[in-house]
């Protein structure tokens, strides 16, 4: 089992039981004590669990559904996010207008668009705007033009609220790159933040096509507020650790399922 898959199993157990013990994980996963402790350390750094003597417990954000901050999420599933981001960047055409929503996976996509010629980027993500602004200040020909919406920042550094929604609804974009707190067959795309869900909805309505970027750990997670159904997604980009049930549902419901390294129609 890959590290990404082990950590997804650990997170599932924490969500179900509220706590896990190292000894149980060693037996359940068939790996060494040190491997389990490294996995718990990585999850703790990302703010998903809290390490305690002999194991780990759910954090306040895990039990309440509150979204952790941008920095806390940046390290989680970094390998999977990189693969997803590279695949999603391949959907962006030179000279197009692309919207990039908040979140660390969408940010990883933006980092791969810096050299795409003639690109205009609309974003409500402060980190994405900073990334592209810093790049444009260097002597690079063809750096993307950036339009940052207004709004109030969330913990994940996304600008949301009426001001952001109004600005977004006045625009039309060719493709929207968007992550999600959770994705499931019944709930669709969800967020724990009501204002962020409304702004996400405005972004979707402004876009000709929607590309959702979400690694395998997002499947089966449901946040407080739903902002889109699976049938509204033109491209769902994930990684190879995505489970068979999820693949089946997404292949049936979305326009196109893209897995890093291969494509399922």
């Amino acid at each position: 089992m890959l590290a990404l898959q082990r950590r997804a199993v650990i997170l599932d157990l924490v969500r179900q039981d509220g706590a896990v013990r190292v000894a149980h994980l060693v037996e359940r996963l068939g790996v060494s004590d040190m491997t389990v402790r490294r996995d718990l350390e990585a999850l703790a750094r990302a703010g998903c669990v809290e390490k305690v003597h002999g194991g780990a417990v759910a954090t306040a954000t895990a039990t309440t559904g509150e979204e952790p901050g941008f920095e806390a999420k940046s390290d989680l599933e970094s390998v999977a996010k990189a693969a997803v981001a590279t695949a999603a960047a391949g959907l962006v055409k030179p000279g197009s207008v692309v919207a990039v929503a908040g979140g660390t996976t969408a940010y990883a996509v933006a980092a791969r668009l810096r050299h795409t010629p003639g690109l205009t980027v609309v974003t409500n993500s402060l980190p994405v705007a900073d990334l592209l602004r810093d790049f444009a200040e260097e002597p690079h020909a063809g750096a993307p033009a950036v339009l940052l919406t207004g709004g109030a920042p969330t913990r994940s550094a996304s600008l949301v609220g009426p001001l952001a929604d109004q600005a977004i609804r006045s625009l039309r974009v060719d493709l929207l790159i968007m992550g999600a707190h959770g994705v499931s067959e019944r709930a669709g795309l969800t967020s724990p933040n009501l204002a962020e869900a409304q702004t996400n909805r405005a972004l979707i309505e402004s876009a000709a096509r929607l590309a959702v970027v979400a690694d395998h750990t997002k499947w089966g997670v449901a946040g407080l507020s739903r902002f889109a159904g699976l049938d509204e997604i033109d491209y769902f980009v994930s990684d190879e650790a995505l489970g068979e049930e999820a693949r089946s549902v997404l292949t049936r419901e979305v326009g196109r399922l893209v897995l890093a390294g291969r494509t399922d129609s």
Side-chain angles (χ1 to χ4, degrees), residues 31-100:
V31 295
S32 69
D33 178 280
M34 287 302 299
T35 296
V36 167
R37 293 184 186 278
R38 282 195 297 268
D39 287 339
L40 292 179
E41 183 65 37
L43 292 172
R45 284 198 308 270
C48 296
V49 302
E50 181 180 347
K51 288 186 67 181
V52 296
H53 180 69
V57 298
T59 62
T61 57
T63 55
T64 64
E66 181 184 351
E67 190 168 18
F70 185 89
E71 294 299 331
K73 294 191 295 182
S74 294
D75 291 336
L76 183 61
E77 305 298 344
S78 57
V79 174
K81 284 180 181 178
V84 169
T86 299
L91 301 174
V92 178
K93 297 179 180 179
S96 62
V97 180
V98 59
V100 180

Side-chain angles (χ1 to χ4, degrees), residues 224-265:
L224 176 64
S225 183
R226 180 182 189 270
F227 59 87
L230 297 182
D231 60 350
E232 297 180 73
I233 301 170
D234 295 288
Y235 306 99
F236 189 94
V237 188
S238 192
D239 62 287
E240 289 282 5
L242 188 69
E244 290 300 328
E245 179 184 358
R247 295 187 189 199
S248 177
V249 171
L250 291 166
T251 299
R252 182 177 68 248
E253 296 291 337
V254 308
R256 180 179 168 198
L257 173 61
V258 179
L259 297 179
R262 79 178 216 207
T263 301
D264 291 338
S265 300

